[in-house]
Amino acid sequence: MSNPPNIQAELAKERNRAAAERTLMAWIRTCLALISFGFGIESIVTAIRDLQIDETINPIRFSRILGLAFVALGTYAMIMAVIQHQQELRRLQRNEIYIYKSRPSLGVIVAIALGCIGIYAFIGILLRAIFQ
C-alpha cells in the first residue's frame, strides 16, 4: 500500500508552479516590450528612408542595427524563458525531495546584453554627434 501524498508538499509544489507561471508571464511581457521597441526603431528608420529625397544623405544604419539588436534580444530571452519554465515544471513533477540548484540567471544575461546595446547606442550617438 502506498503512502498518501503529503498535502503540504503538494500545496508547496502548486505554489511553486504558480510562481513559475507568473515568472514566465513576466518574461513574456519583458520580451514583448523589447521586440516592440526594436520593431518600432526599425519602422521609424524605414519610414525616414522612404521619405528621404536627397540621396546624398547617408541612411541611418546604426538605428537599424540597434532595432535588430532589441528584436534579437527579446526573441532570445523569450526562448530561454520558455526553456527554463519547462525545466522548472519537470523538476516539480518529480516525486523526490526538492533541492535548490543554482543556475544562471536569465535576468542577469538580459541585463548584460541590454548594457552592451546601451554602450553601442551611446558610442554610436556620440560618434554621429562628433562627425556630423
Side-chain angles (χ1 to χ4, degrees):
M1 191 180 246
S2 66
N3 293 336
N6 180 345
I7 192 70
Q8 289 178 336
E10 293 304 311
L11 288 174
K13 285 182 179 181
E14 185 57 34
R15 284 190 302 272
N16 286 346
R17 184 187 177 289
E21 292 293 324
R22 287 189 302 273
T23 302
L24 179 63
M25 292 305 293
W27 274 112
I28 289 171
R29 287 188 298 273
T30 301
C31 295
L32 182 60
L34 286 168
I35 292 169
S36 298
F37 188 67
F39 183 74
I41 291 172
E42 171 62 23
S43 297
I44 290 169
V45 169
T46 302
I48 291 170
R49 180 177 284 164
D50 290 344
L51 292 175
Q52 194 173 25
I53 298 171
D54 186 7
E55 293 296 326
T56 61
I57 298 174
N58 191 11
I60 307 171
R61 289 186 188 95
F62 162 76
S63 297
R64 174 163 277 171
I65 292 170
L66 190 62
L68 291 174
F70 277 108
V71 171
L73 179 61
T75 303
Y76 167 78
M78 180 77 72
I79 291 167
M80 293 307 297
V82 169
I83 290 170
Q84 282 188 357
H85 177 72
Q86 291 301 317
Q87 289 172 345
E88 186 64 25
L89 291 183
R90 273 190 242 112
R91 286 178 65 203
L92 289 173
Q93 289 173 346
R94 293 187 206 134
N95 286 330
E96 57 190 39
I97 296 174
Y98 190 85
I99 298 172
Y100 174 76
K101 294 179 185 174
S102 181
R103 52 190 184 269
S105 169
L106 182 58
V108 171
I109 293 168
V110 171
I112 290 169
L114 281 174
C116 291
I117 292 171
I119 290 169
Y120 175 77
F122 178 79
I123 291 171
I125 291 168
L126 183 65
L127 291 176
R128 194 169 26 181
I130 291 172
F131 293 112
Q132 279 188 346

